[in-house]
Amino acid sequence: MGVSLADLAAITGSELRGDPDLAITGVGTLAGAGVGQITFLSNSKYRKYLEATKASAVIVGAADADACPVAALVAADPYVAYAKVAQRLAPAARAPGVHPSAVVDPGATLGSGVTVGPGCVVGAGAVIGDDSWLVANVTVLERVQIGKRVIVHPGAVIGADGFGIAQDAGRWIKVPQLGTVLVGDDCEIGANTTIDRGALEDTVLEEGVKLDNLIMVAHNVHIGAHTVVAGCVGIAGSTRIGKRCLIAGASGISGHLNIADDVMIMAMSMVTSDIHQAGQYASGLPLDSLANWRRNGARFRHLDELAKRVKALEKKSDKD
Amino acid sequence: MGVSLADLAAITGSELRGDPDLAITGVGTLAGAGVGQITFLSNSKYRKYLEATKASAVIVGAADADACPVAALVAADPYVAYAKVAQRLAPAARAPGVHPSAVVDPGATLGSGVTVGPGCVVGAGAVIGDDSWLVANVTVLERVQIGKRVIVHPGAVIGADGFGIAQDAGRWIKVPQLGTVLVGDDCEIGANTTIDRGALEDTVLEEGVKLDNLIMVAHNVHIGAHTVVAGCVGIAGSTRIGKRCLIAGASGISGHLNIADDVMIMAMSMVTSDIHQAGQYASGLPLDSLANWRRNGARFRHLDELAKRVKALEKKSDKD
Amino acid sequence: MGVSLADLAAITGSELRGDPDLAITGVGTLAGAGVGQITFLSNSKYRKYLEATKASAVIVGAADADACPVAALVAADPYVAYAKVAQRLAPAARAPGVHPSAVVDPGATLGSGVTVGPGCVVGAGAVIGDDSWLVANVTVLERVQIGKRVIVHPGAVIGADGFGIAQDAGRWIKVPQLGTVLVGDDCEIGANTTIDRGALEDTVLEEGVKLDNLIMVAHNVHIGAHTVVAGCVGIAGSTRIGKRCLIAGASGISGHLNIADDVMIMAMSMVTSDIHQAGQYASGLPLDSLANWRRNGARFRHLDELAKRVKALEKKSDKD
């Protein structure tokens, strides 16, 4: 069984060093892979395991090729090559079709090759594109449109009402949420992530957007193509995020902002203003011992006063 | 068919300018609405679209009424009037009843006009008030009491065990969670939000509380009437929040605190002490470039020392 | 009916003061309990209610025993004793078995005494240990292994794909997630928490780990025995957390870190470096009025410059 090393070289565009007919049956880590398995070396931190690997083959960069004690695939980017090899050797175990426990409204449209897993709910007028996969217990509400080859992980909710309320004489009344959600091709949406429908226009994920778990995408948000958002991020209403951005975990982005293309936001950042330029941004404070943190945090509450005192000293000093 | 402009004026208490018999069939944005649609102008940022609107009618404030090129409803609060018009023209598509895929314990009590959507679970002894709606894949556990006209969005979990553990000889043992959750009339609970049951007494949402998505409400929390909580907020156990508060997104509120009425907490704030007075509060740090942030963050760890150095300079300077 | 006070003394290893045959039928708070109920006094804040309690018995520490006006169980740790009493008097209402609405793959293995509640999904090759309980709408994906006496609250997702992507010529391609999740005995997993499967190796919770609601545990994370994590925490990929740690709510822990045993991390902390020593750690900034916060936050952006100005003043002052 397995796949020949030659086939894996072809799939990945790698240079093959070793027996082209070697049958590879699975993948493993550099330290843990055994006979019949292929592994990879991408992070130099793991180079120490290369010499003693028990794998039958290793995907390496050119710099490590000579040091590889077994057959090798020499790739421009070993991690990308590994991803393609793993996709070939360990394809996702899913069969197209609607699980009997799923509830798909008769007015929904499913493309060819779609899988709707157990416990999923798909509302009226929803469209799920070809080869997309709702894994389990996913809720896709009415009129949501999902592109092709999209994966939605368990517990995700797409198209719930946005948080639209208006204050009428001391009570909050509901503003109907009449837009929907458009999810582009090749997006992936993590477990228990929620994407609200637009208020009047639509919430949009362009193609290739990858959302991790427990992310909140509010109404009318627009996320550009190939942007990646890590877990626990909240994006407030009507914010527009550019293409190819990287938003690290647990960041919060206020509403009605514009974030440029190619912006990278570090973990736990608070974004409250537009970002006009590509680049790396951060906020938050690094961890410290509780005792130090208490001392410094107390000073922060008087930082403005401290700055004024420094200014006063400078004035006095200038006069001397 | 649609609704006459005169009827919409009556519903909203607006002054009608134009043909009272004009039939309105739907809503749209100022820039996007067309024939038969009504739109609104509330945020002055969009005033530039008023002159060229293709809508058949616009809901405006008094100041913009003369500039409206089509029929107008002149309202004290155009956004509130719009909410009422949209509720009339685009009522939520739901029919009362229990979806066949839902699991409602025979010991639960459903009021009249209740909708229990697909995949929902309602436990023994739970009570769902008249005209409330569990949209889909909602879990309401045993003995939870939900008022009238409450909307619970998909994936929300109401009445899971609170996080009650006690340390017994190096192991954590479970403290049974014997209270429940009381949700007042006219509350709305967002997708994948969780509200834990009380430990001995109850977790309470008073009437008109609006919770966005992915919020954590821990055991014994009490939230006052008409308080609004945005997405990704965590509220720890036994904290009491007043009436008419606004808690912005991704804030965290420690346990056993008292927050006064009419408090507004800005996004991503950390609340670790009681708040005795109405007003606006914030914490956190604004975003900066990664390079600047690293420099300033490093200084923060020595802020206490810096303050002492300034004090020393001042002393020396006073002596001069 | 009920349980005799003597039996409760035996269960909890307490000293009994009063009638050993007194029948106790339930638990309540010190202020709210009535005839037939037992309560406890653990937090000194509530001592004021002891004298007037209407409970039939109170669990107290030695220091409060003489002041107890009714029968007493005198315990080393009244809260632990209360937990055991409540477990005995109010056992969780669950019957072993698979609810008809649950979807358990024929290739999954359920131990004896397992309860799979309504709407749960259990994938192929998953193993659920004896006496474990998936409450409702829980998703356990293929090959996940759950130990004995584990409780998984509604909406939790165990074993979704980790966030593994690699950039291939401007597009993100999926890195198959081939590991699984191993959950030790006596763990408890909160509502809507997500634990991703490992990329190649496994995500691991050792025994006795307690996770609250809405927590994100990324791929390859390893959490040591008896560690407790409060709600809304995010733990990024491949991080290793020690035994007996306490991670307070809404903290964020970056990937590929090592956190020692017995570390306590305060609420809303940002952890971006290894923690080598047991102890208490914090980050973040305390709340302030919006006006003060704006002033101080603006100064933070120039903190490095301020520190340099102080340095300059010191140099100048030294020369004087």
Side-chain angles (χ1 to χ4, degrees), chain A:
Chain A
M1 316 306 317
V3 178
S4 74
L5 201 57
D7 284 354
L8 296 178
I11 287 167
T12 57
S14 308
E15 178 203 333
L16 189 158
R17 295 197 186 179
D19 175 7
D21 296 327
L22 187 65
I24 301 295
T25 55
V27 296
T29 62
L30 203 51
V35 173
Q37 290 186 309
I38 190 167
T39 182
F40 70 104
L41 172 54
S42 170
N43 185 332
S44 59
K45 186 173 137 187
Y46 298 105
R47 184 175 293 131
K48 59 187 172 191
Y49 298 118
L50 181 60
E51 198 184 349
T53 189
K54 298 283 184 294
S56 290
V58 185
I59 305 167
V60 291
D64 296 311
D66 289 344
C68 182
V70 295
L73 297 184
V74 186
D77 183 332
Y79 191 52
V80 167
Y82 163 72
K84 292 176 177 175
V85 163
Q87 285 176 6
R88 177 67 183 81
L89 289 169
R94 64 122 173 166
V98 176
H99 191 275
S101 67
V103 177
V104 178
D105 189 279
T109 303
L110 307 186
S112 72
V114 165
T115 300
V116 180
C120 293
V121 174
V122 180
V127 177
I128 315 287
D130 296 350
D131 300 312
S132 284
W133 183 15
L134 314 182
V135 176
N137 280 332
V138 167
T139 306
V140 174
L141 291 149
E142 66 277 10
R143 294 186 291 113
V144 166
Q145 293 187 38
I146 292 182
K148 298 177 182 177
R149 298 172 300 278
V150 171
I151 303 175
V152 186
H153 291 289
V157 177
I158 307 180
D161 274 1
F163 200 53
I165 52 178
Q167 195 160 40
D168 182 28
R171 304 183 72 84
W172 295 100
I173 65 171
K174 186 169 176 69
V175 180
Q177 300 291 297
L178 305 173
T180 189
V181 181
L182 309 180
V183 176
D185 295 342
D186 299 301
C187 289
E188 187 164 352
I189 295 167
N192 284 347
T193 282
T194 70
I195 306 174
D196 282 351
R197 64 177 54 244
L200 264 170
E201 298 183 298
D202 298 322
T203 304
V204 178
L205 273 61
E206 295 183 359
E207 63 160 350
V209 168
K210 309 292 183 181
L211 302 184
D212 199 356
N213 298 357
L214 289 167
I215 291 168
M216 158 65 173
V217 179
H219 54 187
N220 303 318
V221 164
H222 188 114
I223 304 182
H226 310 299
T227 281
V228 169
V229 183
C232 305
V233 167
I235 306 172
S238 301
T239 279
R240 215 180 155 89
I241 297 178
K243 298 179 196 294
R244 298 174 302 278
C245 292
L246 302 176
I247 317 288
S251 293
I253 305 182
S254 295
H256 298 274
L257 300 183
N258 274 285
I259 312 291
D261 295 341
D262 300 301
V263 163
M264 183 172 179
I265 294 174
M266 310 306 284
M268 290 191 88
S269 293
M270 174 169 76
V271 185
T272 54
S273 308
D274 287 353
I275 301 181
H276 299 293
Q277 285 203 298
Q280 294 178 296
Y281 299 86
S283 76
L285 282 172
L287 201 74
D288 207 340
S289 73
L290 182 60
N292 285 346
W293 172 78
R294 282 206 174 119
R295 270 194 293 273
N296 294 319
R299 296 291 188 182
F300 180 82
R301 298 187 65 149
H302 304 283
L303 186 54
D304 182 53
E305 181 204 316
L306 184 70
K308 286 174 179 159
R309 285 161 54 196
V310 171
K311 185 77 188 163
L313 283 167
E314 287 170 335
K315 273 192 185 161
K316 199 167 168 186
S317 167
D318 284 350
K319 278 189 233 151
D320 293 346

Side-chain angles (χ1 to χ4, degrees), chain C residues 5-6 8-10 12-18 58-62 65-66 71-76:
Chain C
L5 200 56
L8 295 179
T12 57
S14 307
E15 178 202 336
L16 190 159
R17 297 197 186 180
V58 185
I59 305 167
V60 292
D66 289 343
L73 297 183
V74 186

